Amino acid sequence: MCHLLSWATERGLRVIGTDAADPGLAWHLDALGWDYTLFIAGTRLRQLGLSFGNLKNSPVFDDPARFAALVSAISEHFPIEPGRVEKCSEIPLAGLTDDATFRAFTAAWDDIIMDIRRAGSAPVDDMP
């Protein structure tokens, strides 16, 4: 968990507490006037909920290939059921204790964060 918190700090993400039925932490990216929830960890810290459903409906993911690349990269280490991609998919948090898996997981999110931030810096005429 500490690695995910450090990773978030290095990227300027907000990690905030949630007040859901199972309180926990949520990783957010603020960009383009949107609050992108990337993933959420409940207090039991067993699962990490990936907010694919929220991301897919955001303006940056009008191009399905961007979204598919994220799902594909994460699925290499944590198979995601096709029916869960539109919702909040869960992966075991313990799976991120392996350094190689953690790097692959965060690299997939780094690509998305970069895409979102690039979209925010592109001139309006260049936006799709």
Side-chain angles (χ1 to χ4, degrees):
M1 180 63 79
C2 290
H3 291 344
L4 270 179
L5 294 173
S6 296
W7 171 82
T9 300
E10 292 168 5
R11 279 134 189 94
L13 303 177
R14 283 185 306 123
V15 180
I16 60 172
T18 66
D19 59 359
D22 179 20
L25 298 173
W27 282 253
H28 294 265
L29 168 64
D30 297 316
L32 306 173
W34 280 69
D35 175 8
Y36 295 88
T37 303
L38 305 179
F39 40 83
I40 300 168
T43 54
R44 294 186 187 107
L45 302 179
R46 292 186 183 134
Q47 300 289 325
L48 194 62
L50 309 176
S51 300
F52 288 149
N54 293 336
L55 288 173
K56 187 167 178 140
N57 296 321
S58 66
V60 171
F61 294 103
D62 287 343
D63 175 3
R66 282 180 169 161
F67 183 74
L70 172 65
V71 174
S72 175
I74 292 174
S75 289
E76 287 182 32
H77 296 278
F78 303 101
I80 296 169
E81 297 174 34
R84 298 298 306 171
V85 171
E86 301 295 324
K87 300 174 177 129
C88 185
S89 302
E90 292 184 340
I91 64 168
L93 195 53
L96 295 176
T97 57
D98 174 71
D99 286 339
T101 302
F102 179 81
R103 284 192 304 275
F105 177 81
T106 54
W109 287 103
D110 284 341
D111 288 346
I112 292 304
I113 291 166
M114 218 165 33
D115 271 354
I116 293 170
R117 289 187 170 146
R118 278 188 195 138
S121 64
V124 174
D125 293 338
D126 292 345
M127 295 290 287

